[in-house]
Amino acid sequence: MARYIGAVCRVCRRQNEKLMLKGERCLSRKCALDRRSFPPGQQKSHRRKVSDRGLQLREKQKARFTYGVMERQFRKHFEEAVKRPGATGEVLLQILEMRIDNVVYRLGFADSRSQARQLVCHGHIVLNGKKTDIPSCATHVGDEISLREGDKERSYYKVVAQQVGTKTVPGWLKLDAEKLTGKIISVPNRNDVDLRINEKVIVEYYSR
C-alpha cells in the first residue's frame, strides 16, 4: 500500500500554509512553518513568477497531501467524481471526506489523518460491526464507525475517551462520546469542508 513517507513539514513550507499534517503539533511552537516560513531547499535571490499551470499543480498537491492520497488514487477519485452528478470539484471533496480514514479523523479518534490511516491499517476501526483495514474504504450515509471492542483496555483508547469530547465534529457526522461511536447522517457539502482548497482549480488541472 503506497503512502508518502517524506518529511511532511516540508510540504507545509512548500505550500506556505499549515495543512495540519501533524495534528496538534502544527499548533504548537514546534511547528516548522512558524520557525522557518520560507520554502525548503536552496534559497535564491529572486524567484520566477508561478504560471497558471504551476498554480493548478500546487492546489492539486495541497489537496492530495492534506488527505494523504497518492497521485494514482487521487486521479481515480477525480475520475469517479466526473461520473457523478453535480459540480465535479465539490463531488471530489465529498469523496475525499467520506474516506474512512478521514471520517475517523473528523470524529476525533485521531489527531491527524496519518494517525487515522494507521488506526485503520492496524485493524482498530470497526465499520458497521465489521473490522476494516482499508483506509480508502468509502463510507455512506447511515454507516456507523467505532473503535474495536477489544481495544478498550489499551492506553490509546483511554486517551481518546478523555479528549474526544473536546473536539469539534462537523455537522454531517454524529458522535457518541461516551460509547466512542460515530454515524454518518448526511453527505458533506462544501461549507462542511473547512479547508482552503480551490477545487475549481483542481478540475482545471485535470481538464487541460
Side-chain angles (χ1 to χ4, degrees), residues 38-77:
F38 50 86
Q42 185 176 1
Q43 302 303 304
K44 298 180 181 180
S45 57
H46 64 279
R47 292 183 176 273
R48 292 184 298 177
K49 182 180 179 180
V50 181
S51 64
D52 291 341
R53 172 68 174 168
L55 293 175
Q56 294 171 359
L57 174 62
R58 181 174 296 179
E59 201 67 22
K60 186 265 294 183
Q61 294 292 78
K62 182 199 298 186
R64 193 169 69 79
F65 280 110
T66 297
Y67 287 99
V69 181
M70 300 301 287
E71 177 60 37
R72 186 175 179 180
Q73 195 168 40
F74 191 87
R75 188 176 187 90
K76 182 180 179 181
H77 288 326

Side-chain angles (χ1 to χ4, degrees), residues 116-130:
R117 180 187 180 94
Q118 188 176 39
L119 285 176
V120 177
C121 287
H122 290 181
H124 296 295
I125 299 301
V126 175
L127 174 63
N128 295 328
K130 296 182 180 180

Side-chain angles (χ1 to χ4, degrees), residues 151-169:
D151 293 337
K152 289 189 175 181
E153 299 303 320
R154 294 178 179 269
S155 58
Y156 181 82
Y157 188 99
K158 297 176 181 179
V159 171
V160 172
Q162 294 175 352
Q163 298 180 353
V164 70
T166 64
K167 299 181 179 180
T168 303
V169 178

